[in-house]
Amino acid sequence: MDLLITILKGLVTIFYNPFFYVLVAALFLIGWQRVRRERLSFGLKAYGVFNTVVSSVGPSLLLALAGTVLFIGLGVALPAGVIVLITVCSFLLLLTGQLHYFTGTLSVAMAIGLTAIFPDLDTNFSILNRWIKEIRGASLTDLGVILAVVLLLEACAILLWGHQQLSPRLINSKRGKKVGAVEANRLWIVPLFLLLPDAGGAIHSGAWWPLSDGQSFGVCALPLGLSIQQFITHDLPKPAIRRSGYWLLMTGVVTAILIAFGYILDIAWLALIAAGLALLSRLALVLKHFYDHTVKPFYFIDQGNGLRVVGVIHHTPAERMGVQIGEIIDKVNGVTVRNEEAFYRALQIKPTYCKMEVLDHNGEPRFVKGAIHENDLHHIGLLFLEPSRRVKEKHANTND
């Protein structure tokens, strides 16, 4: 019974941590910015703010469960001071405003480096002195295990869910022509639960975490943000995102091997090498993404053989028909279409039913069909490689 109470109290600590609420606010902000960008390009949104938030809950809980089971099973324990240090590193990375920097991988890697060089300071605050002592005495190997697990969790999140709810965009090429882009912009809030050593100060209940006194816990939550931010203009989004996931997966495997050798051979500084590797690999991935969308040729361009699909709106006839991002609409109800106006005229031939000939990613034709909205044909749910009528009308009114 005492064990169950201790575990339940540990679970509650997630709500004592103010950074958890910062992460939730950041998740809503990401959804709002996404909607704003899509409205600027197309005059409507592909996914709503709450779609973005709700869709992250299930994956976040699965990742949290997997990470917690691994930590508890491996007996990884961190004192409160180190948890505070990781949280501070996460907050500083969040202030960059860029999801490709705000990752649990970089937060833990930074904490490992700071733990190794943290000075022996003496302040006028007993709680700060306690945290400093805990940081200086922390196990680099345990921190290394956390780094490896977080890396692997982040890779799994990107491989399994990174391609979902992609955000379509229209941008200008260097020649001033409209081209398409797709952005993967996801944040998963993952509360990982760690063991707290009995000695060295535990998180306490009864007040706002961690500035409190009272009964000790044996378990405490460490909320981390796992994320992907990838702006894709050179390829189809799914394979591009999958390559990023495999990049992090390989980094996580190498990191885990280094940490395992460090544990077996009792060489703590191997955790520092693993942290440096993870840090450089994550930053190298950011540079690769930048190179891909600035140097490589555009994929979402008008080739004159139909309407290129840049986005598919959630819960619409187009999504139910199975139209994919990057495909080309060649014919609608037997009529060849080469611009958005012709597309909607062709829809009116059969106001309640639509049959389209689509060129897939290999240029091979296929047919999709399904029911559509008779009184609102513009809600079929396809976003093309040209500004929508709403955006055009807005710009025309602005010019007038």
Side-chain angles (χ1 to χ4, degrees):
M1 189 64 180
D2 291 340
L3 178 60
L4 179 60
I5 292 174
T6 299
I7 293 174
L8 291 176
K9 287 181 177 179
L11 294 176
V12 171
T13 59
I14 185 66
F15 301 107
Y16 291 168
N17 192 327
F19 189 62
F20 172 73
Y21 300 99
V22 173
L23 287 174
V24 173
L27 186 58
F28 275 94
L29 180 61
I30 290 168
W32 176 79
Q33 290 177 331
R34 170 202 177 111
V35 169
R36 180 175 175 272
R37 288 192 298 264
E38 290 171 357
R39 288 190 185 281
L40 287 174
S41 289
F42 304 102
L44 43 79
K45 60 187 179 183
Y47 292 88
V49 175
F50 284 97
N51 290 125
T52 302
V53 174
V54 172
S55 68
S56 71
V57 173
S60 296
L61 292 177
L62 289 175
L63 294 169
L65 178 62
T68 299
V69 169
L70 285 173
F71 291 148
I72 301 298
L74 295 172
V76 177
L78 288 182
V82 180
I83 294 177
V84 173
L85 178 62
I86 296 174
T87 303
V88 170
C89 291
S90 296
F91 181 73
L92 293 176
L93 290 171
L94 180 61
L95 292 179
T96 64
Q98 300 294 324
L99 276 184
H100 45 228
Y101 297 130
F102 176 58
T103 70
T105 299
L106 293 185
S107 300
V108 179
M110 286 175 58
I112 291 176
L114 291 173
T115 299
I117 63 172
F118 212 87
D120 186 9
L121 301 175
D122 187 16
T123 70
N124 295 325
F125 302 95
S126 60
I127 193 168
L128 289 179
N129 292 334
R130 190 189 79 192
W131 290 344
I132 292 170
K133 181 180 178 180
E134 291 169 351
I135 292 170
R136 287 177 55 80
S139 167
L140 290 179
T141 301
D142 278 0
L143 273 168
V145 172
I146 293 173
L147 174 65
V149 171
V150 169
L151 248 175
L152 293 172
L153 289 178
E154 195 163 48
C156 290
I158 292 172
L159 287 171
L160 293 174
W161 303 293
H163 65 278
Q164 296 178 355
Q165 294 201 358
L166 300 173
S167 181
R169 302 268 293 278
L170 293 180
I171 61 174
N172 291 320
S173 68
K174 294 179 179 179
R175 297 181 179 180
K177 295 182 63 176
K178 285 290 181 183
V179 296
V182 176
E183 186 172 26
N185 208 28
R186 300 296 304 273
L187 172 65
W188 299 278
I189 301 173
V190 181
L192 299 171
F193 293 89
L194 300 166
L195 297 174
L196 285 166
D198 294 333
I203 303 301
H204 297 85
S205 65
W208 196 255
W209 182 96
L211 305 174
S212 57
D213 293 308
Q215 185 179 357
S216 297
F217 287 102
V219 178
C220 183
L222 170 64
L224 286 178
L226 307 184
S227 66
I228 177 174
Q229 184 178 21
Q230 186 172 355
F231 194 67
I232 305 164
T233 59
H234 67 289
D235 197 359
L236 290 169
K238 286 186 179 180
I241 293 168
R242 194 178 298 120
R243 286 193 293 270
S244 297
Y246 285 128
W247 179 301
L248 292 181
L249 182 62
M250 292 304 300
T251 305
V253 170
V254 174
T255 300
I257 292 172
L258 284 173
I259 298 301
F261 273 111
Y263 175 78
I264 295 170
L265 302 176
D266 195 21
I267 304 176
W269 53 263
L270 279 178
L272 284 173
I273 295 178
L277 172 67
L279 184 70
L280 292 176
S281 177
R282 201 63 173 84
L283 295 178
L285 183 59
V286 175
L287 292 176
K288 181 181 182 300
H289 291 166
F290 179 78
Y291 173 84
D292 286 343
H293 80 256
T294 55
V295 176
K296 291 186 177 181
F298 293 108
Y299 180 86
F300 296 94
I301 58 175
D302 184 4
Q303 297 177 326
N305 58 343
L307 281 171
R308 176 79 71 174
V309 177
V310 182
V312 179
I313 300 175
H314 193 40
H315 292 319
T316 59
E319 185 182 57
R320 291 190 288 271
M321 288 184 221
V323 180
Q324 302 293 317
I325 293 176
E327 292 185 325
I328 296 174
I329 307 299
D330 183 26
K331 294 181 180 179
V332 177
N333 293 329
V335 178
T336 301
V337 295
R338 292 296 179 263
N339 56 60
E340 190 176 1
E341 186 177 351
F343 173 84
Y344 288 112
R345 279 203 309 266
L347 283 181
Q348 295 173 7
I349 296 174
K350 297 180 180 180
T352 60
Y353 192 78
C354 173
K355 181 178 180 180
M356 295 187 291
E357 184 175 337
V358 178
L359 301 180
D360 66 16
H361 302 138
N362 297 316
E364 298 294 329
R366 69 185 183 93
F367 290 94
V368 299
K369 55 187 178 180
I372 57 177
H373 303 288
E374 180 178 3
N375 297 323
D376 197 351
L377 300 177
H378 291 278
H379 282 178
I380 190 171
L382 291 174
L383 303 178
F384 298 118
L385 188 59
E386 62 177 83
S388 69
R389 290 185 176 182
R390 297 182 186 181
V391 175
K392 291 177 180 177
E393 292 171 358
K394 180 180 177 181
H395 289 171
N397 294 333
T398 302
N399 294 332
D400 290 343

